[in-house]
Amino acid sequence: MRHPKLDLKTVVLTKKIAFHLFQKQNMKKQTASFLCLCLTLFFFCFEVGKAQQNTQNQDLSTTKTGSLLQSGPMVGYSEMLEVGLWVQTKSSAKVAIRYRIKGSDQAYLYTDPIKTTKDSAFVAHLVADQVEAGQVYEYQLLINDAIEPISYPLTFQTQKLWQFRTDPPDFKFVFGSCFYINDEKHDRPGKPYGSGTEILKRIYNENADFMVWGGDNTYLREPDWGSQTGIFYRHTHTRSATDLQPLLGNMHHYATWDDHDFGPNDSDRSFANKHLTQKAFNVFWRNLNTNMTGENDIASSFTWGDIQFFMLDNRSLRSPQQYKGRRDYLGEKQLQWLIEGLTYSRATFKFVVVGGQVLNPSDIFENYATYHEERQILFDELEKQRVKGVIFLTGDRHHSILTKMEREGSYPLYDITSSSITAGSHSPKEGENPLRVEGTLYDKNNYVVLSVSGKYKERVLKIALKDETGKLVWEREISQKELE
């Protein structure tokens, strides 16, 4: 709250008039002086009360400070008692978010304010930590203590406390990869590689609970990957796309990366500036945890309802594809973390999210099959540890497809590839993926909607691939029992 300032001239004049009136009433000089002091204090308290009322007023009017907002706000991770939020300003500013249960008239709760700085691309990571489980909240962004006018609703949610009480909650989420926003001054000559952004409106209209970004979420270019300035510029340019803003503000977001948001095309652990892109990833996303191996990777994990996600980093620890020594894709420590995490997890479905295709046996491009020794270790361990419910979510290939690997004596593995959201498309050659499920290849811009529903131990995953207009291309169902 800003404390009121009493004008000195006004105070002096008020005291003179009051003193004159009090003396006319034949009061003693000391009594008149005392009453003048009381009157001054009364005016001061009155102004303080007005200031407090304005600060706490539920209908506080907005003050236009739009020139300071660069992108966001974005809703990040969601837990039962905490939600991560994100916003970027154009220059240094104090930002905060106030929130309350949607549709209520309760007093607003506030995040701790944060001053954005250039070293972090003027990004603030805010935390809503006065929330209750299983609620939907409406919120407002404040920049320098003034409410930022936003033309679309802003909401976030907390996860439900269902364990030992009810069946798991039904929910749905969106998955996609390869998000390219054109930038004429830095793009290569010729036809733009990125398409329009109408698809973002279709994703927004899905009203999903959250979105999983599968890599290549921005495309670093030649001027970018040599410096923090360039890397921050590219992330800022992509994140500021107009049609992206409502999606950021109302759907929770989780991400991993692939080569283009890690570094140059097909880049690996030898990339000299990976420390800068790792910093940028952690600045521009609101995953609750990263660096699961302790080697400055961006691997993370989160749960939603009865489902767990393992967000893998296939770049930070990856050896060059043509390397003749030990060839790492995830790396020994990350692979061990994944296997142990899958073994421990009691989740109904365990989604393993990684930039490149896992099940496609063709050792082409950057498929996991090109690192066949490590890939085989993963498959062997899944059988040895008797891990149930594993499904892979992958991107990179600039087309979408469902891959199914049958395993003798065990359940089949599925790999859902969704690519691209806006980047250019690519049609695979005939026979390139011998394990593909017929009728699931699609080589234009798209996204996948995944819905989880059903009673405890009878859960069903519904997969719906949709085109850039939101039209259904194909759908399939996978039951919990099929993956046991």
Side-chain angles (χ1 to χ4, degrees):
M1 183 192 74
R2 294 180 179 176
H3 295 293
K5 295 180 180 179
L6 291 181
D7 181 78
L8 183 60
K9 290 183 179 179
T10 302
V11 172
V12 172
L13 180 61
T14 301
K15 289 182 69 175
K16 284 183 177 179
I17 294 173
F19 189 79
H20 178 72
L21 291 173
F22 291 149
Q23 281 199 319
K24 273 197 168 185
Q25 299 298 321
N26 297 318
M27 291 183 181
K28 293 182 179 180
K29 185 175 181 181
Q30 294 86 347
T31 303
S33 297
F34 175 75
L35 289 175
C36 286
L37 177 62
C38 291
L39 183 62
T40 302
L41 288 174
F42 170 79
F43 281 130
F44 179 78
C45 292
F46 178 74
E47 292 296 327
V48 169
K50 285 204 308 181
Q52 288 179 327
Q53 184 177 11
N54 287 339
T55 301
Q56 298 174 356
N57 192 340
Q58 305 304 321
D59 297 318
L60 187 65
S61 60
T62 60
T63 302
K64 290 188 177 181
T65 58
S67 61
L68 285 176
L69 178 61
Q70 178 66 46
S71 62
M74 179 181 77
V75 183
Y77 67 85
S78 170
E79 295 295 330
M80 295 182 191
L81 298 179
E82 184 176 295
V83 170
L85 301 157
W86 180 100
V87 68
Q88 184 183 29
T89 57
K90 294 180 179 179
S91 59
S92 183
K94 184 175 76 170
V95 297
I97 282 176
R98 68 178 200 169
Y99 55 96
R100 63 183 178 186
I101 293 176
K102 185 178 180 181
S104 73
D105 58 358
Q106 66 180 205
Y108 279 103
L109 304 167
Y110 289 77
T111 66
D112 291 336
I114 291 179
K115 189 83 168 181
T116 62
T117 64
K118 183 178 181 180
D119 183 59
S120 296
F122 302 112
V123 164
H125 286 188
L126 302 159
V127 179
D129 56 5
Q130 303 176 71
V131 294
E132 302 173 11
Q135 297 288 345
V136 177
Y137 289 82
E138 57 191 16
Y139 69 95
Q140 294 174 320
L141 170 65
L142 286 79
I143 300 180
N144 291 336
D145 298 319
I147 294 178
E148 180 70 22
I150 304 290
S151 62
Y152 46 84
L154 296 174
T155 61
F156 63 79
Q157 62 176 299
T158 52
Q159 293 200 46
K160 296 178 180 178
L161 177 58
W162 61 273
Q163 294 87 341
F164 307 104
R165 293 163 175 79
T166 65
D167 288 322
D170 296 345
F171 62 88
K172 69 177 179 178
F173 66 97
V174 173
F175 172 67
S177 68
C178 304
F179 183 54
Y180 190 101
I181 298 295
N182 295 325
D183 186 7
E184 186 176 357
K185 68 178 180 179
H186 291 155
D187 289 344
R188 296 178 184 179
K191 181 181 177 181
Y193 190 58
S195 65
T197 55
E198 285 291 315
I199 190 172
L200 300 174
K201 298 178 181 178
R202 309 299 171 242
I203 296 175
Y204 172 78
N205 290 335
E206 295 291 344
N207 293 317
D209 294 283
F210 59 97
M211 182 170 178
V212 175
W213 295 77
D216 292 342
N217 310 315
T218 190
Y219 279 70
L220 296 173
R221 294 157 220 188
E222 288 82 0
D224 303 333
W225 56 64
S227 66
Q228 178 176 285
T229 300
I231 293 165
F232 277 179
Y233 167 80
R234 182 56 51 208
H235 280 271
T236 298
H237 179 264
T238 301
R239 187 60 60 82
S240 301
T242 300
D243 287 339
L244 180 62
Q245 304 314 303
L247 178 60
L248 295 176
N250 291 277
M251 194 181 295
H252 293 263
H253 295 270
Y254 301 86
T256 188
W257 65 11
D258 199 24
D259 53 338
H260 291 290
D261 32 4
F262 171 79
N265 186 44
D266 298 347
S267 46
D268 52 54
R269 66 191 182 197
S270 66
F271 173 50
N273 287 329
K274 63 183 181 182
H275 64 294
L276 297 179
T277 52
Q278 287 161 351
K279 176 180 178 178
F281 181 91
N282 287 315
V283 165
F284 279 85
W285 294 104
R286 284 295 275 133
N287 293 357
L288 182 58
N289 50 73
T290 58
N291 192 24
M292 301 307 297
T293 70
E295 296 188 0
N296 296 320
D297 62 276
I298 56 95
S300 65
S301 182
F302 72 96
T303 60
W304 197 287
D306 58 327
I307 310 303
Q308 186 168 1
F309 293 80
F310 296 85
M311 312 288 285
L312 301 185
D313 179 347
N314 68 336
R315 295 293 162 181
S316 297
L317 309 175
R318 178 195 193 116
S319 60
Q321 193 155 317
Q322 66 275 23
Y323 189 61
K324 301 303 181 185
R326 175 189 169 88
R327 300 177 70 252
D328 297 316
Y329 185 80
L330 301 175
E332 186 175 2
K333 286 188 177 180
Q334 185 176 193
L335 182 60
Q336 187 66 26
W337 167 76
L338 172 63
I339 293 168
E340 290 178 355
L342 290 170
T343 302
Y344 172 81
S345 177
R346 299 296 180 267
T348 301
F349 298 115
K350 304 170 184 67
F351 288 101
V352 178
V353 185
V354 60
Q357 288 184 325
V358 174
L359 299 186
N360 186 347
S362 299
D363 56 350
I364 55 176
F365 300 106
E366 293 193 288
N367 292 345
Y368 203 3
T370 61
Y371 293 76
H372 58 87
E373 298 94 342
E374 186 184 288
R375 178 175 177 265
Q376 191 58 50
I377 292 173
L378 172 59
F379 293 159
D380 290 345
E381 286 294 324
L382 291 179
E383 290 194 24
K384 178 181 177 181
Q385 306 299 335
R386 298 182 180 180
V387 180
K388 300 178 181 179
V390 173
I391 299 173
F392 296 97
L393 297 178
T394 62
D396 175 62
R397 294 302 310 281
H398 296 261
H399 64 262
S400 294
I401 199 166
L402 179 63
T403 305
K404 182 179 182 181
M405 174 188 285
E406 298 286 357
R407 298 186 297 166
E408 185 177 354
S410 188
Y411 65 87
L413 293 174
Y414 286 94
D415 186 336
I416 305 167
T417 302
S418 178
S419 173
S420 301
I421 298 175
T422 59
S425 59
H426 166 74
S427 298
K429 296 178 180 179
E430 186 68 28
E432 187 176 290
N433 184 354
L435 299 183
R436 78 182 191 188
V437 176
E438 290 300 321
T440 63
L441 171 62
Y442 188 71
D443 60 0
K444 296 179 177 61
N445 294 141
N446 67 88
Y447 60 95
V448 172
V449 179
L450 299 105
S451 306
V452 181
S453 62
K455 296 181 179 180
Y456 180 62
K457 293 187 177 181
E458 298 178 6
R459 304 286 271 169
V460 175
L461 172 68
K462 182 178 179 181
I463 310 164
L465 181 80
K466 298 193 175 183
D467 68 12
E468 61 185 351
T469 69
K471 181 181 178 181
L472 180 67
V473 177
W474 57 260
E475 61 183 351
R476 297 289 189 279
E477 286 189 358
I478 301 174
S479 69
Q480 178 180 355
K481 296 183 182 301
E482 184 182 353
L483 303 188
E484 294 180 343

